[in-house]
């Protein structure tokens, strides 16, 4: 059989020739069309046709089958091929040979339509005879032959790309179309009478329809080739990148799923983040652990450092075990890649004090929070190590040996900041040696596109210029090198001494002056530049910068001052008032409060300015130490003069370099620390809410799930909202959902009690969006308990529950079902979420809210986990949470979810089959959203259930490292009816009781050993049993607790340590607990809400917004004889006793207030009675109570560090401004042009007026001044200051510029403003005046002189800086520059310098004379 590839290659070569031939033919074809228009005779057309046919005949003869091939075909088939001529079309270029056809059609030989005109060939039944067949109405056999012919012709176009079934389908389709075509022709009577001669004539004129197939053949082949070469369609070509990221289908997601590394360890951000990215870090090695452990340990916390590393610390004796515990933790985290929950649960002995000689001594060296802190610090150390390696590589590239860098700087690089400083220092020191030595980047830097670099403009600093000049020699004359000064400073002793100069600094500097007097600089300037060199090198030194950062870390002070905008906006009720005048507050006092984040937020709003600086003592001490390291010990006058110069160097280094570095770093460091602290606090609040067990009643066992009936009245509007009831069974399935109008009518009460009888809920939860929910709760309690409702002191008939009724007798039936409120923030989010719409699309928002309430009761952890990245919307810290960056908050909350989820464990079979419960799976140790997704898919493909944990490995469900992380937290419940999965080995079908415990598979042998010892069995007794049979026995043993407690676990742990150094003391305790109570409930009981929690949930009021003394707006709801019922804006109801209504206290309420009236009132008392569902306030509306106001209660407390003098000065200044504003506003002048405007308002008013229009307005200079504003030109206004002088004779004199005096405003307007405006108009009308800016006039002058070199030119333009005046600009010749002279406009004249002229011609003459 021929090689398909060879066939493909040959056909490709032929196709290339054919394409070229076809191109020439197509060109000829087009030319022929043009020629046809010019040559109309038939003979010319016939010659062209014959020429084309001869060309095609030559080509087809080359492609025709050989005679030997035809003979071979005839021998094998018994059919003659020599006279059967049927046209074939060429297959696709480069395609594979056609597959053997199953058609009964006889093989044919290739030919073309050109052969039909060849007179040498015998006339056979070929394509020409089709017309005869059609005319004669041939039989069915002829039709089949025709079908076969057409089918074969079209089929081979794509034969190489189709299988047999596709060809057969296409063949049937074409036959059907051909039959329809024939039927259509037969149905046309106009064709029925056409004879043979007519058909021949038609054929001669129109051909058979295939005359030009040879010209289109190449196009068909090209189209097929283009289709074949199209790239395979991928989902990246169809979906938006954002959609691909949301579905976790990017290449990074695939890589994360595939790698045998815990998912969270592969990410640079939280796995909850919508923009989580792949981390490209390099793992730590064993060689890095010792240095990393010390680096991490001293940064765990100040408290830890003090307790373990201070000589008098209470845990000083455990210092070395602490470092060893941190080393183990780092090894587990960054070398072996175990997540925190695995270490905390299964390796806790390695992070606790473990001494075989003191097994009774239990000291927890590292807490769970500190273990997460070690993980975060380890990530920072990993980044630091990578940067240090990059720095070392760059230093190697320099090919230098710098003893100071190698011996002093490199050993002290312990932070990213020092790496940056060292890089900058090396760049400065060796910049001329190698420019490109520092072209490197890190995995967490921005990706840089590999584009062709353009030459950047060179920027040479003053330091580099001075360093290259003779001044550097002068700097050397200071007698000691900068790095030697730093060495003395760090060592706190002078290991390097100063070489004193014999000459004083000025005399010494004069030696370096340039001999050329024209460029020589004075000695003082040379000294200044030398000091700059030394100060720069000191300021860039990494060790000095680090020392300054350390100083700022402990001794920095922070002050805040308001901006002008802040002074007006931040009043004493504003939340920023607390720090408006913060003064010299220590940075250490701001670490544990969010105050600094609020300060930065206020600074971003341009309300305050923040200053960070050192205490005077700390700064002077640092400066003194640096001076001592730099100064000479000599006492001569020359030495003292040089020491003064060195002191100036130190001051310049501090002010220009070191202190700015410290200020910038301190702000960022404090911000990071406060954000971390606040994020950790939010994580702790979340832990309090989710680290609680589901609600259970006393009759239930821990771990059971309650059935829940959730009830809500929505917003509590009796006209719009019905009461919604939703029942969820123990498995969390929605079983019933009903709505009732109220719980007052008997039929609705019966409907409510009926659902209680039918469903028997374990608990009823009540929730809502308004205070009306309290009435619903009260009514539900009364119906459940069979008691009449408690009388409400604020009850009224307009609450939607019908008119007030007398108390009823107790119901004959009652239910022992608790009724309670629960937190509803998750339910509020759920009711409008996409998840709710997908799960319960048919339910109303209130019903979805009820589902959220019920689910929260059944599993708070599950409900919070299902929120995903929306969990940041949950209010955990009301006033400060928005200040935390979202990514940082997500990481903190995710850690809490991971901790609690692994503490509880996840039933893997339930997770696979329950999409809601499945939300817990990504938080299992080692997994994440991507790995959990693929795990569920794999298990579902196996049948949806696992029998034991061994299947995770044997069925390739988890990779090794992920299995080790996750196995102990994925429980497989023991279920005798579990369905066996397909393709499972026989030994996989056995359940293991240990798979339903927290015991890790690597400790199964320990558990079996412990069970065997507790049962006092020998190995022979259990030889033929399943390895975990003894575990089942001990679990079912009645005395299992006694038997297990009798084991000496301490001795067992010591023997294991001595045998192979395994630390398993805590693990043995875990095994014992799990054998007694597998996956026992370790969370706190479900918490009940307090009165304030319920009130805040329903009304939004807090103890801060609803406290005694506050004035609130109240609405009168109902009047009684001695009582007024009121309601607050938040929906809380209350009362006004008659004594608090008026000062007298005995006036009837109806004479004081009316129903529906809104009035202010002072809160006197707040009454909260949760069991009775009563929340109300007592209010006073007496004027004496209202008169005092509530400023004292509402004002924000000042910080203790308050700048009182500055506060009082600013307060006084604001008061003065306010008085001046009042005085200015009060002034009224009786004149039609007077307006109470300021300058901006006056300009805006005149903007639409005519030139010369006037506004008279008050002046900011006082009551004896007026301001006159008039319009000079568009967007140009002149403001004239007018002074009023009392003449003492009953009139005022108006003075302008101390020269012009007017008796009244009308005279001033006419004789000053309008006269000046006429002068302006006169000059603007002159031919030499040019509109536009002064620059445009300059350009005009230059263009004129360039065109007329022998002439000079001048012109006038408006002076935009002094409205009402002009500039005279002139250009003497083309080599001169444009000169500008000012022209002042007075009411009576123009002034050019001191010359005053009456008109514009005189002004021009005065200019020419000058």
């Amino acid at each position: 059989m021929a090689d398909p590839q060879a066939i493909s290659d040959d056909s490709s070569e032929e196709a290339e020739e054919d394409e070229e031939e076809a191109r020439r033919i197509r060109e000829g074809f087009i030319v022929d069309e043009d020629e046809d228009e010019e040559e109309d005779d038939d003979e010319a057309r016939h010659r062209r046709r014959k020429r084309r046919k001869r060309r095609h005949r030559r080509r087809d003869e080359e492609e025709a089958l050989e005679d030997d091939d035809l003979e071979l075909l005839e021998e094998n088939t018994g059919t003659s091929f020599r006279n059967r001529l049927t046209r074939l079309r060429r297959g696709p270029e480069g395609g594979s040979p056609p597959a053997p056809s199953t058609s009964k059609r006889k093989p044919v030989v290739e030919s073309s339509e050109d052969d039909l005109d060849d007179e040498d060939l015998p006339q056979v039944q070929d394509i020409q005879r089709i017309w005869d067949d059609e005319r004669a109405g041939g039989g069915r056999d002829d039709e089949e032959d025709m079908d076969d012919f057409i089918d074969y012709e079209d089929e081979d176009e794509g034969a190489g790309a189709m299988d047999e079934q596709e060809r057969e389908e296409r063949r049937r389709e074409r036959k059907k179309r051909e039959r329809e075509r024939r039927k259509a022709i037969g149905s046309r009577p106009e064709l029925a009478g056409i004879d043979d001669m007519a058909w021949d004539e038609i054929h001669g004129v129109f051909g058979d329809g295939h005359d030009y197939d040879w010209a289109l053949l190449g196009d068909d082949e090209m189209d097929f080739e283009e289709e074949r070469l199209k790239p395979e369609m991928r989902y990246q070509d169809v979906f938006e990148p954002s959609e691909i990221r949301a579905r976790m289908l990017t290449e990074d997601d695939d890589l994360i799923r595939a790698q045998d590394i815990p998912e969270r360890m592969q990410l640079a951000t939280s796995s909850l983040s919508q923009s989580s990215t792949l981390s490209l870090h390099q793992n730590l090695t064993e060689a890095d652990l010792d240095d990393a452990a010390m680096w991490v340990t001293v940064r765990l916390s100040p408290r830890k450092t003090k307790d373990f590393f201070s000589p008098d610390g209470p845990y000083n004796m455990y210092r070395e075990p602490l470092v060893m515990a941190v080393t183990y933790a780092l090894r587990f985290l960054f070398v072996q890649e175990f997540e925190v929950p695995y270490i905390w649960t299964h390796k806790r002995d390695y992070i606790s004090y473990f001494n075989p000689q003191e097994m009774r001594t239990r000291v927890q060296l590292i807490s769970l929070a500190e273990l997460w802190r070690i993980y975060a610090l380890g990530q920072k150390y990993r980044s630091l190590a990578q940067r240090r390696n990059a720095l070392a590589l760059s230093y190697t590239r320099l090919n230098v040996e710098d003893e100071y860098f190698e011996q002093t700087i490199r050993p002290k690089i312990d932070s990213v900041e020092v790496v940056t400083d060292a890089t900058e220092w090396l760049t400065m020191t060796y910049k001329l040696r190698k420019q490109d030595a520092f072209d490197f980047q890190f995995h967490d830097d921005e990706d840089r596109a590999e584009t062709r670099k353009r030459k950047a403009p060179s920027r040479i600093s003053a330091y580099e210029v001075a360093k290259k000049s003779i001044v550097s020699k002068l700097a050397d004359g200071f007698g000691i090198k900068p790095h030697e000064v730093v060495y003395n400073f760090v060592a706190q002793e002078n290991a390097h001494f100063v070489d004193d100069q014999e000459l004083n600094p000025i005399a010494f500097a004069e030696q370096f002056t340039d001999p050329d007097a024209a460029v020589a600089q004075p000695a003082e300037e040379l000294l200044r530049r030398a000091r700059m060199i030394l100060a720069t090198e000191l300021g860039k030194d990494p060790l000095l910068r680090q020392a300054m950062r350390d100083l700022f870390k402990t001794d920095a002070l922070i002050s805040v001052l308001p901006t002008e905008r802040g002074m007006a906006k931040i009043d004493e009720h504003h939340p920023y008032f607390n720090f408006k005048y913060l003064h010299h507050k220590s940075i250490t006092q701001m670490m544990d409060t969010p105050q600094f984040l609020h300060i930065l937020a206020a600074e971003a709003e341009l309300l305050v300015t923040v200053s960070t600086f050192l205490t005077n003592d700390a700064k002077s001490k640092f400066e003194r130490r640096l001076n001592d390291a730099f100064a000479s010990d000599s006492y001569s006058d020359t030495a003292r003069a040089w020491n003064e110069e060195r002191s100036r160097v130190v001051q310049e280094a501090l002010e220009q370099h070191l202190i700015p570095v410290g200020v910038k770093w301190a702000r960022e460091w404090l911000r990071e620390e406060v954000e971390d602290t606040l994020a950790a606090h939010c994580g702790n609040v979340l832990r309090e809410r989710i680290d609680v067990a589901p609600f259970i009643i006393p009759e239930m066992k821990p771990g059971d799930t309650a059935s829940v009936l959730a009830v809500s009245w929505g917003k509590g509007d009796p006209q719009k909202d019905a009461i919604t009831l939703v029942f969820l069974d123990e498995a969390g399935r929605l079983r019933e959902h009903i709505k009732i109008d109220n719980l007052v009518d008997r039929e609705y009460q019966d409907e409510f009690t009926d659902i209680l009888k039918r469903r028997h809920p374990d608990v009823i939860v009540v929730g809502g969006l308004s205070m009306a929910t309290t009435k619903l709760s009260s009514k539900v309690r009364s119906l459940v308990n069979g008691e009449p409702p408690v009388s409400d002191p604020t009850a009224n008939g307009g609450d939607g529950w019908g008119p007030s009724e007398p108390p009823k007798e107790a119901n004959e039936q009652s239910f022992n079902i608790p009724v309670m409120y629960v937190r509803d923030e998750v339910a509020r989010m759920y009711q409008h979420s996409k998840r709710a719409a997908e799960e319960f699309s048919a339910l109303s928002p209130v019903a979805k809210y009820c589902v959220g309430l019920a689910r929260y009761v059944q599993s708070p952890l599950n409900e919070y986990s299902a929120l995903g990245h929306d969990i940041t919307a949950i209010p955990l810290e009301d006033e400060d949470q928005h200040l935390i960056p979202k990514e940082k908050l997500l990481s903190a909350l995710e850690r809490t979810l991971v901790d609690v989820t692994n503490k509880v464990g996840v039933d893997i079979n339930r997770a696979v089959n329950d999409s809601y419960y499945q939300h817990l799976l990504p938080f299992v140790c080692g997994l994440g959203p991507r790995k959990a997704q693929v795990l569920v898919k794999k298990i579902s493909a196996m049948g949806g259930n696992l029998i034991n944990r061994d299947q995770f490995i044997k069925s390739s469900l988890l990779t090794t490292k992920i299995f080790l992380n996750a196995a102990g937290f994925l429980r497989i419940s023991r279920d005798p009816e579990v369905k066996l999965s397909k393709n499972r080995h026989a030994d996989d079908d056995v359940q293991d009781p240990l798979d339903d415990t927290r015991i890790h598979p690597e400790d199964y042998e320990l558990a079996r050993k412990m069970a065997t010892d507790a049962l006092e069995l020998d190995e022979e007794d259990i030889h033929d049993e399943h390895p975990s049979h003894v575990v089942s026995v001990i679990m079912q043993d009645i005395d299992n607790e006694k038997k297990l407690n009798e084991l000496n676990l301490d001795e067992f742990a010591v023997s294991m340590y001595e045998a192979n150094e395994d630390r398993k003391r805590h693990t043995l305790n875990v095994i014992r607990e799990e054998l007694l109570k597998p996956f026992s409930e370790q969370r706190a009981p479900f918490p009940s809400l307090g009165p304030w929690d319920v009130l805040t949930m329903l009304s939004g009021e807090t103890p801060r917004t609803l406290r005694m003394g506050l004035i609130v707006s109240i609405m009168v709801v109902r009047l009684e004889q001695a009582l007024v019922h009121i309601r607050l804006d938040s929906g809380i109801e209350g009362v006004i006793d008659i004594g608090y209504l008026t000062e007298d206290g005995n006036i009837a309420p109806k004479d004081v207030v009316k129903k529906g009236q809104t009035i202010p009132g002072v809160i006197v008392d707040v009454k909260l009675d949760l069991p009775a569902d009563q929340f109300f306030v007592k209010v006073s509306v007496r004027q004496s109570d209202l008169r005092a106001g509530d400023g004292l209660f509402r004002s924000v407390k000042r910080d203790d560090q308050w700048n009182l003098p500055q506060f009082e000065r600013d307060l006084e200044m604001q008061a003065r401004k306010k008085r001046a504003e009042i005085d200015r506003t009060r002034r009224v002048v009786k004149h039609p042009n007077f307006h109470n405007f300021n300058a901006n308002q006056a300009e805006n008013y005149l903007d639409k007026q005519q030139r010369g229009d006037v506004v008279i307005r008050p002046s900011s200079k006082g009551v004896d001044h007026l301001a006159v504003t008039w319009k000079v030109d568009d967007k140009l206004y002149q403001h004239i200051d007018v002074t009023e002088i009392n003449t003492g004779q009953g009139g005022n004199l108006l003075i302008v510029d101390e020269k012009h005096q007017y008796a009244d405003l009308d005279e001033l307007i006419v004789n000053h403003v309008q006269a000046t405006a006429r002068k302006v108009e006169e000059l603007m009308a002159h031919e030499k005046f040019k509109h536009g800016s002064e620059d445009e006039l300059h350009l005009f002058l230059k263009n004129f002189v360039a065109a007329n070199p022998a002439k000079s030119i001048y012109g006038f333009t408006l002076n935009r800086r002094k409205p009402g005046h002009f500039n005279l600009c002139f250009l003497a010749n083309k080599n001169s520059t444009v000169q500008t002279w000012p022209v002042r406009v007075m009411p009576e004249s123009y002034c050019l310098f001191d010359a005053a002229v009456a008109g514009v011609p005189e002004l021009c003459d005065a200019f020419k004379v000058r």
Side-chain angles (χ1 to χ4, degrees), residues 201-434:
E201 186 178 349
I202 291 171
H203 180 264
V205 175
F206 297 105
D208 61 353
H210 296 287
D211 287 348
Y212 300 111
D213 281 358
W214 53 267
L216 302 176
L217 185 59
D219 292 340
D220 294 340
E221 293 174 353
M222 290 172 61
D223 291 344
F224 181 80
E225 184 64 17
E226 289 177 3
E227 187 68 25
R228 189 179 67 82
L229 295 177
K230 276 186 180 179
E232 185 181 352
M233 184 67 71
R234 303 177 305 163
Y235 60 81
Q236 289 90 339
D237 302 323
V238 178
F239 297 102
E240 289 287 336
S242 58
E243 184 72 15
I244 295 174
R245 281 196 301 272
R247 295 179 180 274
M248 297 182 292
L249 293 174
T250 65
E251 293 180 359
D252 283 353
D253 294 324
D254 294 338
L255 183 62
I256 291 169
R257 274 187 280 267
Q259 288 191 123
D260 188 18
I261 303 173
E263 181 169 331
R264 277 175 285 275
M265 288 187 169
Q266 298 185 56
L267 297 174
T269 54
S270 167
S271 66
L272 293 175
S273 172
Q274 291 179 302
S275 58
S276 56
T277 55
L278 188 64
S279 175
L280 303 177
H281 61 265
Q282 297 176 355
N283 273 348
L284 298 180
T285 63
E286 285 288 341
D288 299 322
L289 289 182
D290 290 339
D291 183 50
M294 282 307 301
W295 190 89
V296 169
T297 303
V298 297
R299 289 167 174 78
L300 271 178
S301 68
R303 176 70 179 272
K304 207 78 173 177
T305 303
K306 181 180 178 182
D307 288 349
F308 283 83
F309 291 91
S310 297
D312 55 346
Y315 300 104
N316 180 261
M317 70 287 294
Y318 300 115
R319 179 175 55 190
E320 291 184 7
L322 174 65
V323 176
M324 186 57 64
V326 172
T327 306
Y328 276 119
L330 291 171
R331 179 179 290 110
F332 291 137
L333 287 165
F334 296 103
V335 178
Q336 300 178 9
E337 294 177 322
F338 292 127
E339 280 205 274
V340 167
Y342 172 86
I343 301 170
W344 181 249
T345 305
H346 304 299
K347 299 292 183 183
R348 199 181 306 185
D349 289 294
Y350 290 89
I351 59 173
S352 303
Y353 179 68
F354 187 92
N355 188 340
Q357 282 75 38
E358 302 177 21
M359 290 304 294
R360 298 287 181 183
T361 305
R362 307 277 174 82
V363 179
Q364 183 176 290
L365 300 175
I366 298 173
S367 65
L368 179 58
E370 288 168 341
L371 193 56
W372 280 111
R373 172 77 172 159
I374 290 173
Y375 179 54
L377 289 172
Q379 289 175 312
K380 291 182 179 180
Y381 179 84
R382 188 171 59 191
S383 176
L384 169 63
Q386 186 175 350
R387 290 172 183 265
R388 279 198 304 209
N389 294 337
L391 175 62
L393 182 61
S394 301
Y395 175 71
T396 304
R397 284 192 211 143
L398 289 173
N399 291 324
V400 297
E401 292 186 5
D402 191 311
E403 183 180 354
Y404 175 62
F405 177 79
E406 294 179 3
Q407 303 296 328
T408 308
I409 294 179
R410 181 182 282 180
K412 296 189 177 181
I413 296 179
D414 62 350
S415 68
V416 174
E417 291 82 11
V418 181
V419 173
T420 305
D421 294 339
T423 305
E424 190 177 348
W425 183 84
L426 282 175
T427 305
M428 177 191 71
T429 307
Y430 298 104
K431 185 172 184 180
L432 299 179
R433 182 177 296 270
K434 195 166 186 179

Side-chain angles (χ1 to χ4, degrees), residues 646-659:
R646 296 185 185 104
S647 179
R648 292 178 183 175
V649 170
V650 169
Q651 288 180 355
E652 184 175 346
L654 283 172
E655 299 299 333
Q656 300 297 323
H657 300 281
L658 295 176
I659 289 180

Side-chain angles (χ1 to χ4, degrees), residues 615-634:
T615 61
N616 291 332
D617 290 343
K619 182 180 175 182
S620 59
K621 184 178 179 182
F622 188 94
E623 185 176 352
R624 188 164 54 249
R625 277 184 59 196
L626 195 52
N627 274 321
D628 292 343
F630 200 3
S632 170
D633 295 336
S634 301

